[in-house]
Amino acid sequence: MKIIAMIPARYGASRFPGKLMQDLGGKPVIVRTYEAAKATNLFDEVYIVTDSEVIFSEIELHGGKAIMSKKDHDCGSDRIAEAVEDMDVDIVVNVQGDEPFTSKEGLEQVLSVFEGDDADKIDLASLMTEMHDWKEISDPNSVKVIVNKDNFALYFSRSPIPYPRDKNADVQYYKHKGIYAFRKQALMDFYRLPMKTLEAAEKIECIRYLEYGKNIKMAISNTQGIEIDTPEDLIRANKALKEDNVVSVNNKFRNFPMVPKVVFGQGCFDQLSSILAPQRRNKAPFIFLVDDVFENKTEFIDRINLRFNDKLLFVSAKEEPKTSQVDLIVKNIKAEFNYKPSGIIGIGGGSILDLAKAVSIMLTNKGSAADYQGWDLVKNKAVYHVGIPTISGTGAEVSRTTVLSGPERKLGINSDFTPFDQVILDPELTVGVPKNQWFYTGMDCFIHCVESLNGTFLNAFSQSYGEKAYDLCKEIFLSDTLTEEDSRGKLMMASWHGGMSIAYSQVGIAHAMSYGLSYVLGTKHGIGNCIVFDHLEDYYPEGVALFKEMVGKYQIEIPQGICKECSDKEIEIMIDIALSLVPLWENALGENWETIMTREKLKGMYLKM
Ligand code: NAD
Ligand code: ZN
């Protein structure tokens, strides 16, 4: 079923002219609405349909899709009907342009009616919300609706319906919310049908459907949005947005979970069986995702101690994890076992740890991993998951994210459910790591510290972890006093502390630019960071000087000129990807970063690499 959202956007509004172009937290109201609809992930496409060139170009400017409606229309649904006439779609949802806080829950409710037993009787669906205050019930500006036992609409009115002749009767009043989900056919049937008397009298558009015999199924949604109808609403919305930001990405206070259980030390890997035993649920297996470098190391594999129907999956870390890869692993696990696994155990570098986190999330959450790339989109708790790093530096073992390349973006699933329930830190597991790889992954940690310690988001929490990790890195990579064994243990802890440091701050320029390289050229995280960092002496002079010293000491050859062969288009995409990582730039360069890091400047930097 193809489902699209259409947002009718008329420039002139009688009560508050130009309201859709008013500023709401730095963006026009209509852009906010568009982004909110898109962020629900419920739609195959989202369009604005408008009569205004100003709105049209604003949406295009923000990378959205807009359609100019050619004709004059007296109502939103006619405007939508004109736009979808030649489109191949099944369900069209109209989202109100002036509802920038459109909630996913409401839209989900209105769409869910098409999954019920009576779905084929439904021409369109709409939402209603409970009303309790008589002042509101009697206010003609709020449209009331009454329904039959199956929640099909009987009538809409500005009068209180039903009329409470019996003051003691226990009736629930419902307010109609102007969100509709139409079958395309119903929408087209309705297009250009003349208005009849009931609609003309009440001035309520959806009455026309009832007058022509269509069935409207109502769903209940009690979440309150803020409609922007007046300048006062706009002030309220701006305030709400500020409050909202408190719980969003680069907020001042973060309330984040830390890994609740961790065991450390040479040989502690052998604790695994006894750690897992209490977590085992009857016939539900443990699934081990293991880096395929261990595939032929039978001695190591035997130490995993598989029981019953436990399953070992060797996974290649040759490429960085993808959402499609996560989806496939989850699909296979679901196909093979009737039971949700007792747990997912990731054994490997950052790539395998991230895969393990993502798989554990996707076993309890519907859809594709790509639907959850972003901040706090995960709904259900993941299955129990354990991380066992075999190479150190990324901090993936402590972090609240799992970095994935998806069809549209490279972005982590950042959520409270992402961190491991248990981590096993056994430095001995890192013995076989090749020198170059050891260096690149170790430098990921060093760069985390430099970017965190030099960032504008820095605070004492972040600093205390960052400074420790920074000193450990200097000791590991520049002093000659450590035994190999000590060095391995210390790098494992540096990785941990580096990860904790960025948990309460953010990374910076090297990471932003390295994401661009990775997206376009497939450059891996560790080496990509090194390639970029090598050229960042203007931004991180002390860190880059130390880095160059380390590179010299271990005779690492950092690849040069990797962007030379890139087409203009590829460079543009790199720039897009890098610049989209707003919090990273804000951390690195402060609030006015956009005036410092222009596209032109970034292009020059890429071309040097
Ligand atoms: P990796 O997992 O990609 O592994 C790199 C190479 O080392 C692979 O070839 C792997 O087979 C090999 N390897 C791993 N352990 C080994 C061992 N003991 N002996 C020999 N070879 C071994 O490398 P990485 O640098 O740890 O991880 C990079 C990934 O981590 C990227 O995908 C990046 O996006 C992700 N990352 C995630 C976070 C996070 O917070 N979630 C942070 C930083 C990076
Ligand atoms: Zn990193």
Side-chain angles (χ1 to χ4, degrees):
M1 212 159 52
K2 183 159 181 193
I3 303 174
I4 64 167
M6 278 281 166
I7 310 175
R10 220 159 48 86
Y11 189 83
S14 44
R15 282 213 272 174
F16 185 3
K19 65 179 182 179
L20 296 181
M21 287 302 293
Q22 295 289 326
D23 180 84
L24 178 54
K27 293 179 186 173
V29 170
I30 189 68
V31 173
R32 292 265 170 206
T33 309
Y34 185 87
E35 289 176 352
K38 195 121 191 141
T40 63
N41 280 319
L42 293 170
F43 305 109
D44 295 304
E45 305 279 1
V46 178
Y47 296 95
I48 297 278
V49 44
T50 182
D51 60 352
S52 146
E53 309 247 344
V54 180
I55 292 178
F56 181 88
S57 31
E58 190 67 28
I59 294 297
E60 296 238 301
L61 188 75
H62 282 85
K65 293 186 177 162
I67 300 172
M68 278 304 281
S69 66
K70 296 175 204 86
K71 307 176 191 112
D72 257 359
H73 294 290
D74 3 300
C75 66
S77 21
D78 279 356
R79 198 180 297 284
I80 293 176
E82 182 208 315
V84 301
E85 199 163 12
D86 298 320
M87 287 187 190
D88 177 25
V89 295
D90 301 296
I91 306 260
V92 182
V93 177
N94 93 316
V95 174
Q96 302 286 80
D98 58 3
E99 283 231 18
F101 299 102
T102 290
S103 87
K104 177 165 183 171
E105 189 259 355
L107 295 168
E108 251 170 350
Q109 299 284 78
V110 77
L111 283 170
S112 68
V113 306
F114 292 99
E115 288 162 14
D117 295 340
D118 53 4
D120 44 344
K121 278 196 275 175
I122 301 169
D123 296 302
L124 62 149
S126 190
L127 283 183
M128 58 188 189
T129 188
E130 288 173 10
M131 298 173 100
H132 300 282
D133 174 13
W134 181 251
K135 222 173 114 204
E136 197 188 2
I137 296 169
S138 54
D139 178 355
N141 284 317
S142 65
V143 173
K144 275 71 64 178
V145 55
I146 44 174
V147 294
N148 73 6
K149 70 176 190 1
D150 298 319
N151 280 349
F152 281 96
L154 295 170
Y155 191 59
F156 299 86
S157 182
R158 296 186 185 276
S159 305
I161 44 173
Y163 178 81
R165 158 88 193 267
D166 177 353
K167 298 278 181 265
N168 296 319
D170 185 21
V171 279
Q172 175 64 60
Y173 283 88
Y174 288 104
K175 176 175 171 167
H176 178 224
K177 285 199 191 179
I179 290 179
Y180 302 94
F182 303 91
R183 285 193 190 281
K184 182 181 169 187
Q185 195 53 51
L187 190 61
M188 298 322 297
D189 287 354
F190 178 85
Y191 189 24
R192 289 194 218 107
L193 280 180
M195 192 189 289
K196 292 178 82 75
T197 44
L198 296 177
E199 179 189 353
E202 295 255 19
K203 297 258 177 305
I204 299 174
E205 195 181 322
C206 55
I207 293 180
R208 199 182 312 179
Y209 292 95
L210 296 179
E211 289 186 276
Y212 283 100
K214 299 271 179 214
N215 294 323
I216 309 179
K217 175 115 175 177
M218 304 299 294
I220 301 172
S221 162
N222 283 325
T223 50
Q224 289 294 345
I226 300 178
E227 271 172 54
I228 315 282
D229 258 342
T230 61
E232 294 73 47
D233 290 337
L234 189 67
I235 293 168
R236 223 154 46 92
N238 265 306
K239 240 168 124 185
L241 194 70
K242 274 213 186 102
E243 283 160 16
D244 242 26
N245 278 340
V246 175
V247 293
S248 80
V249 198
N250 63 51
N251 47 343
K252 185 159 170 223
F253 302 112
R254 292 188 193 168
N255 189 8
F256 64 95
M258 314 209 329
V259 171
K261 285 197 139 186
V262 52
V263 51
F264 173 84
Q266 186 100 340
C268 72
F269 181 65
D270 291 325
Q271 305 296 303
L272 180 60
S273 295
S274 58
I275 287 172
L276 295 185
Q279 305 293 337
R280 188 181 288 282
R281 279 175 298 105
N282 228 345
K283 295 177 185 158
F286 282 105
I287 314 280
F288 296 81
L289 303 180
V290 182
D291 191 305
D292 66 0
V293 286
F294 295 101
E295 195 157 4
N296 298 317
K297 303 200 171 144
T298 41
E299 207 183 307
F300 175 72
I301 297 302
D302 287 346
R303 289 169 70 194
I304 293 179
N305 236 326
L306 297 184
R307 306 271 168 89
F308 311 109
N309 54 350
D310 288 351
K311 189 168 178 81
L312 194 63
L313 284 174
F314 288 106
V315 187
S316 164
K318 218 170 172 170
E319 286 181 15
E320 299 200 334
K322 296 191 175 60
T323 54
S324 55
Q325 188 183 9
V326 173
D327 294 344
L328 185 66
I329 296 175
V330 170
K331 191 174 143 214
N332 291 342
I333 293 175
K334 284 185 173 164
E336 185 169 346
F337 299 100
N338 295 328
Y339 301 90
K340 201 161 276 162
S342 291
I344 302 294
I345 324 297
I347 305 179
S351 299
I352 309 297
L353 296 181
D354 277 0
L355 266 183
K357 292 196 245 185
V359 166
S360 69
I361 287 171
M362 292 314 299
L363 282 165
T364 53
N365 288 277
K366 280 200 294 191
S368 159
D371 301 339
Y372 300 95
Q373 286 180 281
W375 279 269
D376 300 305
L377 302 173
V378 179
K379 279 202 176 137
N380 305 316
K381 191 172 178 305
V383 303
Y384 175 75
H385 50 302
V386 179
I388 309 179
T390 63
I391 178 171
S392 303
T394 62
E397 63 279 12
V398 278
S399 77
R400 187 182 176 272
T401 184
T402 154
V403 185
L404 299 173
S405 296
E408 283 178 27
R409 53 184 83 88
K410 181 173 179 191
L411 185 61
I413 299 181
N414 299 269
S415 82
D416 280 356
F417 304 121
T418 309
F420 287 112
D421 297 298
Q422 167 82 54
V423 169
I424 296 180
L425 295 178
D426 184 346
E428 203 179 69
L429 302 185
T430 67
V431 167
V433 177
K435 185 182 87 175
N436 273 7
Q437 188 63 57
W438 163 79
F439 187 82
Y440 294 139
T441 304
M443 284 304 109
D444 190 21
C445 173
F446 181 67
I447 296 168
H448 289 164
C449 300
V450 173
E451 294 187 323
S452 165
L453 292 170
N454 291 287
T456 59
F457 294 179
L458 190 67
N459 53 64
F461 185 103
S462 219
Q463 189 174 8
S464 65
Y465 283 104
E467 283 175 350
K468 185 70 212 171
Y470 187 79
D471 289 345
L472 283 169
C473 285
K474 280 202 292 190
E475 196 183 354
I476 296 157
F477 291 100
L478 287 175
S479 82
D480 291 312
T481 51
L482 295 177
T483 64
E484 285 200 6
E485 194 182 317
D486 281 347
S487 169
R488 282 196 294 272
K490 289 197 179 208
L491 186 51
M492 213 156 232
M493 289 322 299
S495 172
W496 184 276
H497 281 69
M500 286 305 302
S501 179
I502 46 181
Y504 220 124
S505 62
Q506 195 37 279
V507 283
I509 302 177
H511 276 77
M513 292 187 69
S514 147
Y515 270 42
L517 292 179
S518 155
Y519 192 84
V520 176
L521 301 175
T523 316
K524 292 197 68 178
H525 187 81
I527 191 168
N529 280 344
C530 288
I531 292 171
V532 178
F533 198 62
D534 203 26
H535 294 272
L536 294 185
E537 53 274 4
D538 289 350
Y539 302 92
Y540 305 112
E542 186 196 334
V544 174
L546 282 178
F547 170 78
K548 288 187 186 281
E549 208 180 319
M550 295 171 186
V551 170
K553 184 171 161 87
Y554 295 97
Q555 298 173 351
I556 305 289
E557 293 222 358
I558 305 291
Q560 304 290 336
I562 63 163
C563 295
K564 251 201 227 135
E565 312 272 286
C566 288
S567 65
D568 280 351
K569 174 123 193 272
E570 284 174 322
I571 297 281
E572 290 301 313
I573 297 174
M574 270 182 211
I575 295 172
D576 284 341
I577 295 283
L579 290 182
S580 72
L581 298 160
V582 173
L584 282 64
W585 293 105
E586 228 176 273
N587 180 42
L589 302 172
E591 262 177 36
N592 298 325
W593 65 271
E594 278 168 303
T595 56
I596 305 169
M597 191 51 67
T598 57
R599 293 185 75 88
E600 220 27 56
K601 173 123 200 176
L602 202 50
K603 185 170 180 176
M605 288 165 74
Y606 269 128
L607 289 176
K608 271 202 292 182
M609 289 169 187

